[in-house]
Amino acid sequence: MNEIPAYPARLAGLHAALMTPYDAAGEVSEPCLRQLVAAVFNQGLDGLYVGGSTGESLLLTTEERQRVFRVAAEEGKGCGALIGHVGAISTREAQILARSCAALGYDAVSAIPPIYFQHSRAAIRDYYAAIVDAAEGLPLILYNVPAMSGIRFTLAELQDLLGLPGVVGIKQTTNDMYQMEQLHRGFPGLLLLNGFDEMLLAGLVSGANGGIGSTYNVMGQRYRELRRLVLAGDTAGALAVQSRCNAVIDTLLAFGVFPALKYLLFRLGIIRTPLCRAPMESLTGGAIDRLDAIAAELAGELGR
């Protein structure tokens, strides 16, 4: 059995992986970002995961990422937990971003492993240790996302990283529920956050004590109900809610999840354009019937 430092209770629960809205010129839109933060917290979610994959962080400049952190903190402070994703291709940039989160009063930082170049496991460990040093006491949540990072950690490698001082948990964006359960069993005090929205139920019953998700931006209330039912022991009811969420996700996948989510937020009147940052494609054409129908359905749930 392994010991993990206690994490703040507010880091458990459901956190929306915040999107980054742009204006018509393709620049980060602070007014729309404020509206989005408010809309997310109006769904009763526990917090925000700011500047992650959903936020197109690796397509933004360092200054833009810092600006997103600032605006989210100004609008969301006191509403729930704030987790800043600071992962970057270089350790230096990740440290700059970690210091920004510390200065802004974030509750934790998180980071993907360094991508693109081949790195030894020792170098990856040093990268995370450097982020902890720069975060000025903020706890660190590892972000395990092999489908996008290209790095597949074994259980032993994750155990090694979880042994770093300051590391309190992991965002586990993988369909390996066996590894999820192994982490839960091996680290009873671990903050274990499910990453794939379409598998939240599976993650929760495998030991996750919360989740971080892209579609929480628009279906937060559904996921809250799913988690409530799991905690109440009603897995059949939770499965029905997961199926409702997954029916929406099926359609989002057909158009590209991030562009389609931006389009839904646009149709719901939360952001002013459905633009993504190039080279990511945007849905900028006329009405898209299947997405418009989903937007109408969600509008009723969100009171818009």
Side-chain angles (χ1 to χ4, degrees), residues 11 14-20 40-41 45-57 65 68-69 72 80-87 106 108-113 128 140-145 170-173 193-194 211-214 216-217:
L11 294 179
L14 302 178
H15 311 284
L18 195 68
M19 305 206 84
T20 301
V40 167
F41 278 122
L45 289 167
D46 298 297
L48 299 175
Y49 189 83
V50 184
S53 306
T54 305
E56 304 169 48
S57 60
R65 294 179 71 176
V68 169
F69 286 146
L82 295 174
I83 304 169
H85 173 258
V86 302
Y106 273 64
V109 293
S110 180
I112 57 168
Y128 279 119
L140 172 66
I141 301 167
L142 305 175
Y143 184 0
N144 183 24
V145 55
I170 184 169
K171 178 187 177 186
Q172 188 76 341
T173 305
L193 299 171
N194 182 79
I212 296 169
S214 306
Y216 296 14
N217 283 275

Side-chain angles (χ1 to χ4, degrees), residues 125-149:
R125 194 179 197 277
D126 289 344
Y127 161 87
Y128 279 119
I131 292 173
V132 171
D133 287 343
E136 300 177 13
L138 292 185
L140 172 66
I141 301 167
L142 305 175
Y143 184 0
N144 183 24
V145 55
M148 298 184 76
S149 70

Side-chain angles (χ1 to χ4, degrees), residues 16-69:
L18 195 68
M19 305 206 84
T20 301
Y22 306 108
D23 60 24
E27 302 297 330
V28 174
S29 172
E30 293 192 14
C32 290
L33 183 56
R34 293 181 189 280
Q35 289 177 199
L36 178 56
V37 170
V40 167
F41 278 122
N42 283 341
Q43 296 178 67
L45 289 167
D46 298 297
L48 299 175
Y49 189 83
V50 184
S53 306
T54 305
E56 304 169 48
S57 60
L58 297 184
L59 301 177
L60 304 182
T61 66
T62 302
E63 186 278 330
E64 286 176 319
R65 294 179 71 176
Q66 291 174 306
R67 187 145 46 100
V68 169
F69 286 146

